[in-house]
Amino acid sequence: MSRFQVVSGKGGTGKTTVAAALALALATEGRRTLLVEVEGRQGIAQLFETESLPYEERKIAVAPGGGEVYALAIDAERALLDYLQMFYKLGSAGRALKKLGAIDFATTIAPGVRDVLLTGKACEAVRRKDKQNRYVYDYVIMDAPPTGRITRFLNVNDEVAGLARIGPIHTQAQAVMRVLKSPETAVHLVTLLEEMPVQETADGIAELRAAELPVGRVIVNMVRPHLLDEDALRTAAGGRRKEIARALTRAGVTGSAGLVRPLVEQAAEHAQRVELEREQREVLAGLELPGHELPLIGEGMDPAGLYDLATELRKQGVGDGVGEGVGQGVDT
Amino acid sequence: MTQGTDADTATDRATALAPALDTDALLDDPGIRIVVCCGSGGVGKTTTAAALGVRAAERGRKVVVLTIDPARRLAQSMGIDSLDNIPRRVSGIDGESAGELHAMMLDMKRTFDEIVEAHADGERARAILENPFYQSLSAGFAGTQEYMAMEKLGQLRARNAWDLIIVDTPPSRSALDFLDAPKRLGSFLDGRFIKLLMAPAKMGGRAGMKFLNVGMSMMTGTLGKLLGGQFLRDVQTFVAAMDTMFGGFRTRADATYKLLQAPGTAFLVVATPERDALREAAYFVERLAAEEMPLAGLVLNRVHGSDAARLSAELALAAAENLDGVGIVDQTAGKAGLRDPADWSVVSPEAVADPDPSEHEDTEDREPDPEPAPEVATRTETVTEDASVEQLTAGLLRLHAERMQVVAREQRTRDRFTALHPEVAVTQVAALPGDVHDLAGLRAIGHRLATGSTPAGAA
């Protein structure tokens, strides 16, 4: 699998959850992963039920087999100050700039500059090595902006090209772009088995491809269990109510007569949903991308649920050794 | 908090505490001129806005729905799939005293361009429109969409051509963005740094500003190095060109803000009965109160219910297990398991004693066969039918148990919200199995919104 995993998806599909589960799943066998967020929402902290993340890489979870998950909330202003410090040793002058609103200004007026600072920080973590020349993080997973904005967000070069034509920001944009367009990166899209998110996923993939950004996998989230097979459902809709009433009575349910209609109606709704889900699965299959399916965690997401999802991802082959995986063929 | 078996008590409590939101009264009130639908992403804001629009129009009002990013098929169903930034009349609005429904989809860049064109003369307008910073800002600034939505709302209101404007809010990273962004863009364009960039010379003569001026040249030097000299020259050109418009931006941002606080405006917070969505909704309710903006209530979308709510999840699962065991029980006990002999008499003991019902699944298809079958065949069919009825019924019961678990979970989530904000009126929209993308679907949602169609078993 690519070392830089970017996770996007329509709002409400659970992309933060999937990114976190992926970070856990990839942190097996002593590996270390970094989970980054870029939208200042503190979604990671909420998910892991810890206090707000600072602008600092901090260990937030351990995975089975001694793996570690670090997390970082990237802040564009702080990232810009970092750069100023790195390139110009600004020190207190940097703080003065901030006070004047210059940093806010520079990161606000040019969204491309803001984005290049955010992606640049993540790319730096992807490439960072320790003294033994080993990568500090085996994988960096980004909880990225939603599908509608992901291509613009990642396509920083185009965004910045017209603004900063020379200088370190320009150079930085080009360096970031090289990482983002390489097989080192994979952009995954999270969806639900519903029409709108699936449509948006298809549109998002087309945009990413047009921008020559590497599309990774489609991850279907919150998949609900199928409790009845469809043939049985058709039968249920087909007028066996008296028999069902009798069976209910035999099973010890009192007043079964009044229950048959709602039970059969619920089954019919279920059948309709199953049918809609089947249609959406077909649309997704038409995208010809590798994918995963994650179950709905009924009781709402908490750290235990995250571990369950990570286990599920591992079962589906995520984290089986570095540099290989179902998605490899299309990552480039 | 309430758990499992306490669900009934919780239901009673929530019903007692949360007042009902009467959306029809809201839509019928001629004093209400603007309804803003807000909430986190993916909760059905756009659909709610569109459904309210259809309902209000069919109840006689002249309505315009401003949508930000509608799903394609929803937009098509209203005839606004072209992004032309102009309200279009929606056909198919029914009713004896029907008014009109218009709908439009926001084009944020064009809205921004229009403001520039309206407030700057030809030469200056062109300089702004061609500036790379303007292009970047108008297409991509995180708050531009929010700002332009509010700008458009102000424009529509000023035209006074509709008696009700229903506005959907942008799919922000946080529901609060749409309140913050206009102010942020306003204060940004009005900011200290921009003033410094524009007029360092003005301050040169004032002793107190000397330091700033030194800081200024150091800073422009630094930023120039970092971003390239052209960057700052472009910024300065842009800022100079926008200069005349700053007052306008600021004034209109303030005017729109006041419009949102006015009594003719009503906010509807939209959520689903899920933890994250309701947490956002709670933040939003608090924020609206802090900003003195009028909240009409909470629309809770995709609520599950059951008409068989008196059968609890636990009992349903237990009954399903009984049915799983029925084959075995009956093999040994014959009719011992029967509790309804009147109806049961058609089945012979041999039939009940079928050892493996699943083997007969194929014969299932022949069931409707109207031909009188020979004695043996009839008996076989009865066996099959009965065995699969056990399976089918067990399946129905398990499905019901799952539904009841969902109902209970949603109720707990909702209870937490109600406990925090007991004053917020609520209407619930029962979950539909599929997506809505036609007027009939919107009409159905509108009906559910109006009746609060409290799904049975869910408060």
Side-chain angles (χ1 to χ4, degrees), chain A residues 10-12 17 38-41 46-47 49 80 83-84 87-88 90 93 96-97 99-106 108-114 146 149 152 159 162-170 194-197 199-200 203 222 224-225 227-229 232-233 235-236 240 242-270 272-273 276 280 296-302, chain B residues 41-42 47 69-73 132-133 136-137 139-142 171-174 185 188 192-194 196-197 211-212 215-216 218-219 222-223 225-232 234-235 238-239 274-276 279 283 302 304-311 315 318-320 322-323 326 330 337-340 343-344 346-347 361 364 367 384-386 388-400 402-403 405 409 412 431 433-435 437:
Chain A
K10 183 176 162 41
T17 304
V38 293
E39 294 191 289
R41 278 188 316 155
Q46 276 176 17
L47 205 52
E49 295 176 358
L80 181 56
Y83 278 109
L84 291 173
F87 288 112
Y88 301 103
L90 272 184
L97 284 179
K99 227 174 178 176
L100 275 173
I103 307 285
D104 183 35
F105 174 83
T108 304
I109 191 163
V113 169
R114 186 183 190 86
R149 287 196 282 125
R152 183 180 276 275
E159 290 299 313
L163 304 177
R165 285 165 220 166
I166 47 165
I169 287 283
H170 179 76
E194 289 168 17
E195 191 180 318
M196 268 197 263
Q199 181 61 52
E200 206 167 292
D203 294 349
M222 305 186 205
R224 286 170 289 201
L227 297 171
L228 282 183
D229 67 64
L233 288 170
T235 319
R240 296 178 70 183
K242 275 191 177 167
E243 298 159 62
I244 292 168
R246 274 172 282 176
L248 283 173
T249 306
R250 287 206 294 286
V253 176
T254 53
S256 59
L259 288 171
V260 177
R261 185 193 53 79
L263 290 186
V264 171
E265 272 173 13
Q266 282 170 200
E269 282 175 27
H270 178 81
Q272 198 180 342
R273 203 185 71 199
L276 287 167
Q280 297 310 320
L296 176 72
I297 303 287
E299 283 303 308
M301 194 45 62
D302 59 9
Chain B
T47 306
D69 191 17
R72 202 171 298 162
R73 283 173 71 184
F133 280 94
S136 174
L137 188 67
F141 171 51
S172 310
R173 61 189 171 137
S174 139
L185 187 66
F188 165 71
R192 191 150 61 136
F193 185 69
I194 280 201
L196 282 174
L197 270 184
F211 163 76
L212 275 185
M216 182 64 207
M218 181 202 74
M219 180 168 53
T222 309
L223 286 178
K225 265 191 257 170
L226 188 68
L227 300 160
Q230 185 63 39
F231 185 99
L232 274 189
D234 282 342
V235 172
F238 170 62
V239 168
E274 281 143 33
R275 198 173 57 162
D276 289 353
R279 181 164 49 204
Y283 285 147
R302 297 186 209 134
H304 291 86
S306 173
D307 286 338
R310 66 171 180 80
L311 180 60
L315 282 177
N322 285 346
L323 283 174
V326 153
D330 287 348
L338 309 183
R339 291 190 187 99
D340 193 359
D343 284 332
W344 185 242
V346 292
V347 183
E361 226 142 59
E364 182 78 27
E367 190 197 334
T384 307
E385 188 179 300
D386 197 63
S388 61
V389 155
E390 309 284 351
Q391 290 177 315
L392 178 61
T393 307
L396 290 175
L397 287 165
R398 293 210 163 84
L399 203 57
H400 176 67
E402 191 212 12
R403 171 75 69 105
Q405 282 158 358
R409 184 172 70 240
R412 286 198 295 276
D435 285 335
H437 26 58

Side-chain angles (χ1 to χ4, degrees), chain B residues 283-299:
Chain B
Y283 285 147
F284 216 106
V285 165
E286 287 153 23
R287 184 61 195 279
L288 287 172
E291 306 276 343
E292 294 174 20
M293 292 193 173
L295 172 69
L298 173 73
V299 172

